[in-house]
Amino acid sequence: MEYFYKIRTHIFLVNLSMKKILFSIFLFFSVLSLHSQKDSIFKLTQLQNDKDVDYLSTGIKLNHFWKYHKGDSIKWANPAINDSKWKYIQTELDLLKIPVGTFENCGWFRLHIEVDTQFVNKPLLLMLSQQGASEIYLDGKLLHKFGKIDPHNILMDEPFNPHYFPINITFESKRNHLIAVRYRNKNAQIDFQNNLVSSSGFNLNISDLETVFDFTISKNFYYKGSIIFYFTFFLALAILHFLLYMFYKKNKSNLYYSLFAFSFGIILLISLITNALNKPDDINSIIHLTSYLRVFYISSLLAMLYSIFYNKILKIFWFWLLIMIAELIGKELKFETDITSFIILIEPIRIVIVSIYKKKDGAWIIGSGVITTILSIVTWVIISVTGKTQVLFNQNTYLSFFILLLTYLSTISIPLSMSAFLALGFAKTNKNLEKKLLEVEDLNIKSIEQEKEKQQILADQNTNLEKQVKLRTHEVVEQKKIIEEKNKDITDSISYAKRIQDATLSSKELKYKLFPEAFVLFKPKDIVSGDFYWFAEINGIKFIAAADCTGHGVPGAMVSVVCSNALNRAIKEFGLFEPGKILDKVRELVLESFSTQHNTSNDEGVKDGMDISLMSIPHSDNANKVIINWAGANNPLWYIQNNILIEIKANKQPIGKTDNPLPFTNHVLELNKNDTIYLFSDGYADQFGGPKGKKFKYKQLSDLLLSINHISMMEQETILEKSFNDWKNDLEQIDDVLFIGVKL
């Protein structure tokens, strides 16, 4: 179980610290150069009976054969102190390898060395990399401090990582020397528990000027230059594929690959930033951020593969994304998992294998790049787990050359495979276009031949058609003359009917005489109308009505004549003055008129009639109040009083034949002077129009009347007509429109 935990932790560290892999890639040639150094500063010979002395050679880190004692005492810098009972330890302080409790944030390290006489009093350089703060003593004397060690409170220490910045060191005349290191890392246990950072110690190296110069050149030129080159390379790929996506958005794989290349380039840039920082806390915080970028570039890689091989994002992608986000949340809550490593190692390979098995286009090309990258990561996981990382860098073997070459190629395998895939796609597209062009040429030739045949056929047909057209034209001209004559007769008849109808309508002079402040908006659908207005005065009683007869055009006009005549008879012949009784009598007269036109023994009779709003105003001497009588058949009465529109509902029955005729209700209303009354048919509210081609409706009509109630009746008429025309626009008028307004 412990070994499994170590494997899981190593996998996490390898994925979290991508800069280690990248560092090995970009130092590839420089490492080979360092491996080839043959001149040694010190002779490395292991003592047979005692391991207290270590003989050093160029480029080898001083991390073995150290005596260690946990705790902190400045006297342990003294060479005379007996350290024979101290434990041997490696300075990396790998908390996964050393026993629990060995290092508890502070301790002392002592290394006995013997220097070859030719390097005594010769200037050398000491280089250190660490996670905490340290003081280095040579033969009991303080040589250099890295960071700040507070003698009273370890929590006040200031860790500092110089990243192998060289410090001068000179060995005096004697050959035997003691290097003592006072080392404290206040965050060692916290970093191990929270972030699984197991290496909490330091690495020390002593080299000559030539070796340090080569290392500095490798670090500053090869490493930093290579990272900048690779960052620029991946950024260029990201921009290129994003532009390809913008020009052809249907292929979303370019977008996903652009995001993948951009996020991978950012990880490279972060590795460069962390190498330039000296505070371990800042370095660990930035490295911690790479876990979020990992989710981004892994999800982009998966989205790209799904898009290429499935032409859509599968539902399982959202499952993986949810798991990766949950893992990030778990890490913030100190619950460590490493499912992301499983996803990046397993899911891309699964997609590629399935695609290759199904023989999808480009599966082998994309698969080679993905598999090469995955195998490289697996290789580094195995190397990390087995602890052979340093062997690869400290031995100039074919194995190390092969592993480093494999790692180097893995960084460009996916870009190369993607480029090859796109090249293949462009090649296929060009071939298809070439094939289509040939097909188009063949079709053009066939079309030209067919067109010639058609032209010949048309030429033959035109000769016959010209003869038929001449014959038909003569017939059409004759028929046109007949139709024009009939239309003229019909138009003349309708125009005459209009004159008759106009004669039956009340004159405008009577309207202005009876109601000076009034308007009549009358818009027949056809030449003649089924709607009509009616004004009358008898014995000082003023009458006004807005009627809507069945139908429109000539049939409606004929009904309007019958109904208008019935109104006149009701008040003049029968002496009726209450609107309710007038409507009762008008219904009787209309039914009588229509029943005389037909034999009703086997006929239900004509069902024509009208809807009407009828109002009478008796003479009154009251200067402030007006008494009106009103009755309605289906059509209501509206009046506006104190800026409030009030509706008086009509009886739900027409003037005409109905199943259950009831007497019409006579309403008596007391209104104020300057109140406005409106009588109308349904033509205005039922008109289709507006942006959506819907009816105008009564709600919009009432809002319009309230908005214009304060202006003159003539202006109201103008606005109502304009609003109707604007609403109707180019649509056909569906019914006659009659709208009467009277200000008392």
Side-chain angles (χ1 to χ4, degrees):
M1 191 68 180
E2 181 180 357
Y3 184 71
F4 173 78
Y5 177 75
K6 290 182 178 181
I7 292 176
R8 186 188 69 82
T9 305
H10 277 292
I11 293 174
F12 174 82
L13 290 175
V14 168
N15 286 321
L16 185 62
S17 303
M18 290 294 291
K19 71 171 187 176
K20 293 182 179 179
I21 298 177
L22 296 171
F23 183 81
S24 64
I25 295 170
F26 302 125
L27 282 181
F28 172 70
F29 295 105
S30 60
V31 167
L32 292 181
S33 174
L34 290 175
H35 288 171
S36 63
Q37 295 289 336
K38 297 181 179 179
D39 299 331
S40 59
I41 300 175
F42 309 104
K43 297 178 181 178
L44 177 59
T45 306
Q46 181 174 337
L47 296 180
Q48 295 180 356
N49 299 323
D50 190 7
K51 293 183 179 179
D52 288 346
V53 182
D54 189 12
Y55 296 83
L56 307 178
S57 64
T58 299
I60 295 182
K61 296 180 180 179
L62 303 183
N63 56 358
H64 297 282
F65 311 122
W66 289 79
K67 291 295 188 70
Y68 169 75
H69 195 294
K70 73 176 181 179
D72 189 13
S73 176
I74 195 64
K75 65 182 181 179
W76 291 340
N78 189 350
I81 294 296
N82 183 8
D83 57 10
S84 60
K85 294 184 179 181
W86 287 25
K87 297 179 180 179
Y88 285 101
I89 200 169
Q90 293 187 7
T91 61
E92 288 95 339
L93 292 177
D94 191 340
L95 298 181
L96 290 172
K97 297 180 179 179
I98 63 177
V100 178
T102 301
F103 178 71
E104 296 179 348
N105 297 339
C106 62
W108 277 77
F109 299 80
R110 291 161 60 98
L111 179 66
H112 297 272
I113 61 174
E114 184 174 331
V115 180
D116 193 286
T117 55
Q118 63 177 318
F119 296 106
V120 172
N121 294 322
K122 181 179 179 180
L124 301 172
L125 295 174
L126 178 145
M127 296 185 296
L128 178 85
S129 177
Q130 64 181 15
Q131 295 296 318
S134 63
E135 294 176 353
I136 300 177
Y137 296 84
L138 178 61
D139 298 329
K141 297 180 181 179
L142 180 63
L143 181 65
H144 198 81
K145 293 182 179 181
F146 293 99
K148 176 184 176 183
I149 294 179
D150 191 298
H152 306 293
N153 187 358
I154 190 174
L155 297 178
M156 300 303 294
D157 286 358
E158 296 180 3
F160 183 84
N161 187 353
H163 295 296
Y164 296 109
F165 186 81
I167 302 297
N168 291 328
I169 182 173
T170 303
F171 292 100
E172 297 178 353
S173 58
K174 62 180 182 178
R175 296 186 63 189
N176 295 323
H177 297 274
L178 173 71
I179 299 177
V181 179
R182 181 189 188 186
Y183 181 73
R184 301 209 312 202
N185 185 352
K186 64 178 181 180
N187 297 323
Q189 300 298 327
I190 296 176
D191 289 341
F192 178 67
Q193 294 174 3
N194 295 344
N195 301 321
L196 290 180
V197 179
S198 62
S199 180
S200 59
F202 63 90
N203 288 306
L204 186 66
N205 192 11
I206 299 176
S207 303
D208 61 358
L209 292 174
E210 182 180 357
T211 302
V212 172
F213 178 77
D214 290 341
F215 176 79
T216 304
I217 292 297
S218 299
K219 178 180 179 182
N220 291 284
F221 179 74
Y222 293 108
Y223 172 61
K224 294 182 180 179
S226 298
I227 284 190
I228 293 173
F229 168 77
Y230 267 80
F231 169 73
T232 307
F233 172 69
F234 280 103
L235 181 62
L237 283 177
I239 295 174
L240 172 63
H241 284 269
F242 182 76
L243 291 176
L244 289 175
Y245 166 73
M246 293 302 295
F247 285 116
Y248 185 58
K249 292 186 178 181
K250 187 176 181 180
N251 186 5
K252 293 186 178 180
S253 59
N254 281 313
L255 173 64
Y256 302 136
Y257 180 70
S258 173
L259 296 176
F260 169 76
F262 178 75
S263 57
F264 196 79
I266 294 298
I267 291 176
L268 294 175
L269 186 62
I270 287 177
S271 69
L272 183 63
I273 294 173
T274 55
N275 190 260
L277 298 176
N278 296 112
K279 293 185 178 181
D281 291 342
D282 296 339
I283 295 173
N284 291 335
S285 297
I286 292 178
I287 291 177
H288 182 66
L289 291 177
T290 59
S291 60
Y292 294 93
L293 281 174
R294 276 201 311 154
V295 172
F296 193 75
Y297 80 75
I298 290 172
S299 58
S300 300
L301 175 62
L302 292 178
M304 180 192 74
L305 294 176
Y306 289 136
S307 178
I308 290 174
F309 296 123
Y310 295 96
N311 294 323
K312 63 179 180 179
I313 302 298
L314 301 183
K315 292 182 179 179
I316 193 174
F317 169 80
W318 305 109
F319 174 74
W320 291 128
L321 183 60
L322 183 63
I323 286 182
M324 288 188 286
I325 294 174
E327 184 181 42
L328 287 179
I329 296 174
K331 288 177 182 178
E332 297 298 330
L333 298 176
K334 314 307 179 186
F335 179 75
E336 294 295 339
T337 59
D338 203 23
I339 302 175
T340 304
S341 300
F342 171 81
I343 298 174
I344 194 174
L345 294 174
I346 301 301
E347 181 62 7
I349 295 180
R350 184 196 68 80
I351 296 173
V352 169
I353 291 175
V354 171
S355 301
I356 292 174
Y357 176 76
K358 292 183 177 180
K359 298 181 180 180
K360 293 187 176 181
D361 291 340
W364 277 107
I365 299 175
I366 299 294
S368 61
V370 173
I371 291 175
T372 301
T373 301
I374 300 301
L375 288 179
S376 175
I377 295 175
V378 171
T379 302
W380 274 101
V381 170
I382 295 172
I383 293 172
S384 178
V385 171
T386 57
K388 300 298 183 180
T389 307
Q390 294 300 325
V391 176
L392 292 176
F393 292 103
N394 293 328
Q395 294 183 7
N396 188 12
T397 63
Y398 289 108
L399 178 60
S400 64
F401 178 82
F402 172 75
I403 295 299
L404 292 174
L405 179 62
L406 177 64
T407 306
Y408 179 78
L409 292 176
S410 68
T411 61
I412 60 174
S413 59
I414 292 181
L416 289 177
S417 62
M418 189 66 182
S419 299
F421 176 76
L422 289 175
L424 178 62
F426 281 124
K428 288 185 176 179
T429 301
N430 288 334
K431 288 182 179 179
N432 290 333
L433 286 174
E434 184 178 355
K435 183 179 179 181
K436 292 295 182 183
L437 286 174
L438 293 175
E439 292 178 356
V440 169
E441 288 180 1
D442 293 338
L443 289 174
N444 284 336
I445 294 173
K446 292 180 180 178
S447 297
I448 291 172
E449 293 177 353
Q450 292 176 354
E451 186 65 25
K452 290 180 179 179
E453 293 178 0
K454 289 181 180 178
Q455 291 296 333
Q456 185 60 42
I457 294 173
L458 288 174
D460 296 338
Q461 290 179 345
N462 284 338
T463 303
N464 296 328
L465 286 174
E466 287 177 359
K467 296 178 181 179
Q468 295 178 3
V469 166
K470 289 180 180 180
L471 179 61
R472 288 293 182 184
T473 301
H474 178 72
E475 294 177 354
V476 169
V477 169
E478 293 299 322
Q479 291 177 354
K480 180 175 179 294
K481 290 180 180 179
I482 296 173
I483 293 172
E484 287 177 347
E485 291 176 358
K486 291 183 177 180
N487 283 339
K488 185 177 182 303
D489 293 340
I490 294 172
T491 303
D492 291 343
S493 298
I494 295 175
S495 298
Y496 186 73
K498 176 175 174 54
R499 289 196 296 272
I500 296 174
Q501 185 180 42
D502 291 342
T504 62
L505 295 175
S506 301
S507 66
K508 291 184 179 181
E509 290 77 7
L510 179 61
K511 178 196 75 170
Y512 289 122
K513 176 183 176 182
L514 298 179
F515 304 102
E517 286 290 323
F519 70 81
V520 176
L521 176 61
F522 183 51
K523 296 178 70 67
K525 178 183 182 299
D526 302 309
I527 297 175
V528 290
S529 171
D531 289 5
F532 70 92
Y533 54 89
W534 180 74
F535 296 93
E537 181 181 18
I538 293 181
N539 299 330
I541 302 175
K542 302 175 183 178
F543 294 92
I544 183 172
D548 181 3
C549 295
T550 305
H552 49 75
V554 174
M558 294 177 66
V559 177
S560 70
V561 171
V562 174
C563 294
S564 176
N565 183 56
L567 284 170
N568 289 320
R569 290 183 63 191
I571 64 173
K572 294 178 180 179
E573 182 179 340
F574 295 96
L576 300 176
F577 305 114
E578 290 186 6
K581 293 181 179 180
I582 292 173
L583 294 185
D584 290 336
K585 175 55 68 175
V586 168
R587 177 171 57 190
E588 177 184 338
L589 295 174
V590 168
L591 290 175
E592 179 182 344
S593 297
F594 287 130
S595 64
T596 59
Q597 307 290 324
H598 297 270
N599 181 6
T600 59
S601 60
N602 295 316
D603 195 329
E604 295 182 358
V606 178
K607 294 184 178 181
D608 291 323
M610 68 174 172
D611 297 333
I612 188 171
S613 177
L614 173 63
M615 179 181 68
S616 68
I617 305 176
H619 177 73
S620 174
D621 295 329
N622 193 328
N624 298 319
K625 298 293 183 179
V626 177
I627 303 298
I628 69 171
N629 289 271
W630 177 85
N634 287 329
N635 286 350
L637 171 73
W638 285 4
Y639 68 91
I640 296 178
Q641 187 177 77
N642 298 325
N643 291 324
I644 299 174
L645 190 147
I646 301 170
E647 178 182 11
I648 307 299
K649 296 185 180 297
N651 292 98
K652 294 299 180 182
Q653 58 183 359
I655 300 297
K657 188 173 180 61
T658 184
D659 294 334
N660 186 24
L662 296 174
F664 285 95
T665 304
N666 188 77
H667 298 270
V668 180
L669 304 174
E670 183 180 57
L671 302 182
N672 299 323
K673 284 289 187 179
N674 295 322
D675 286 349
T676 308
I677 298 174
Y678 298 100
L679 302 89
F680 46 83
S681 65
D682 59 358
Y684 199 109
D686 287 347
Q687 178 60 45
F688 289 98
K692 297 182 179 179
K694 293 186 177 182
K695 287 185 177 182
F696 193 88
K697 294 186 177 180
Y698 289 102
K699 176 62 171 63
Q700 186 175 189
L701 179 58
S702 64
D703 292 341
L704 177 60
L705 292 176
L706 284 171
S707 68
I708 63 175
N709 181 54
H710 61 284
I711 62 179
S712 69
M713 303 308 288
M714 184 179 298
E715 291 174 318
Q716 288 188 36
E717 179 183 4
T718 302
I719 293 175
L720 282 169
E721 184 172 13
K722 183 178 185 306
S723 298
F724 180 83
N725 292 331
D726 291 344
W727 180 262
K728 179 175 72 68
N729 200 3
D730 295 330
L731 296 182
E732 180 185 0
Q733 182 174 331
I734 64 170
D735 197 1
D736 300 320
V737 173
L738 174 60
F739 208 96
I740 302 174
V742 178
K743 180 168 288 188
L744 299 177

